[in-house]
Amino acid sequence: AITKNNELIQWQNDHESKSQSQKETNNEYLSKTPSYIFNKIKFKSISINSTMCLALDTDSKVMTWGKNSNGLLGLGHDITSISSPIYIEELKDINISQISLSENHAVVLSYSGIAYSWGLGKYGELGQERTIYTPFPLQMNCDNLYSKVYCYNYLTCFLDFEGHFSYFGVIIRNLEINNLNLTTKNLLEDDSMKD
């Protein structure tokens, strides 16, 4: 979570500190008190999935940590996991306005509207010609500039600066067709994406 002072907090897994009887009777292992992550750095947004976190600091730089499934950390394929936030080197000279993360891929937008993607994109959601996997951020192959982005399983959805909707990837199940409508609504109305 991000506090009102732009500090990032997390609740640690208390599984190890529980006694055996507590473990058998109580399935809630998260601590009741959050701890601060990098309390000297201020954050403006965070995107998470089941294995990792992507965060945008108030200086418009992207940090990442967690497990490196499908190269999602954006730090290469040699790293298996990172326990503390680290800046993504390939994005250090770019001012990022928005971040989005699915279970398999990540996309960020620069303030000028250029999209960068990485991770697994076997259905074209990376927007990279003939690329189904990249462990580093690469600029997406598109002529448009975008104002908003939202990653969903197998999809990357965009709104351009004129409000036109487009996407990379595929819609696989009926559930995702319904969620695509919600995605469009989220892109249009999400207050967290407003500058």
Side-chain angles (χ1 to χ4, degrees):
I2 297 176
T3 69
K4 65 181 178 180
N5 295 323
N6 297 98
E7 295 169 307
L8 194 60
I9 57 173
Q10 69 179 354
W11 286 261
Q12 296 285 358
N13 187 327
D14 273 355
H15 188 272
E16 299 303 320
S17 64
K18 299 282 185 185
S19 70
Q20 186 60 36
S21 62
Q22 287 174 314
K23 288 178 186 177
E24 290 171 359
T25 60
N26 185 358
N27 290 327
E28 296 179 16
Y29 299 130
L30 290 179
S31 65
K32 300 203 181 339
T33 306
S35 59
Y36 287 87
I37 304 174
F38 268 171
N39 56 1
K40 293 181 181 178
I41 297 174
K42 304 293 185 180
F43 294 89
K44 59 183 173 182
S45 67
I46 186 168
S47 187
I48 63 172
N49 66 20
S50 62
T51 62
M52 63 156 294
C53 300
L54 199 63
L56 185 62
D57 73 12
T58 52
D59 291 327
S60 302
K61 303 304 176 194
V62 180
M63 302 188 87
T64 184
W65 69 101
K67 292 184 182 177
N68 198 27
S69 304
N70 301 314
L72 269 180
L73 289 180
L75 304 172
H77 53 73
D78 295 334
I79 296 171
T80 56
S81 67
I82 297 286
S83 59
S84 297
I86 186 171
Y87 286 104
I88 297 178
E89 189 69 20
E90 280 72 15
L91 298 172
K92 71 176 183 176
D93 295 327
I94 303 167
N95 288 326
I96 300 299
S97 64
Q98 294 174 24
I99 58 175
S100 189
L101 178 67
S102 78
E103 287 297 317
N104 298 311
H105 75 293
V107 178
V108 299
L109 288 181
S110 70
Y111 275 97
S112 59
I114 298 171
Y116 300 85
S117 65
W118 66 96
L120 183 65
K122 61 183 177 177
Y123 296 106
E125 56 267 49
L126 293 180
Q128 309 287 345
E129 261 184 58
R130 298 183 305 277
T131 300
I132 61 169
Y133 169 78
T134 178
F136 298 104
L138 293 175
Q139 185 174 332
M140 294 181 77
N141 297 329
C142 51
D143 295 329
N144 292 340
L145 298 176
Y146 300 109
S147 64
K148 296 185 180 183
V149 62
Y150 180 79
C151 290
Y152 187 73
N153 292 338
Y154 318 117
L155 284 171
T156 303
C157 302
F158 293 102
L159 284 180
D160 66 19
F161 286 99
E162 295 176 359
H164 299 117
F165 178 79
S166 61
Y167 69 92
F168 289 91
V170 296
I171 302 167
I172 300 223
R173 298 182 298 268
N174 287 338
L175 176 63
E176 291 178 11
I177 293 172
N178 292 335
N179 282 338
L180 184 58
N181 293 330
L182 293 175
T183 299
T184 307
K185 185 177 180 190
N186 290 346
L187 285 167
L188 290 169
E189 298 177 358
D190 187 352
D191 287 337
S192 70
M193 299 180 113
K194 292 179 181 174
D195 295 333

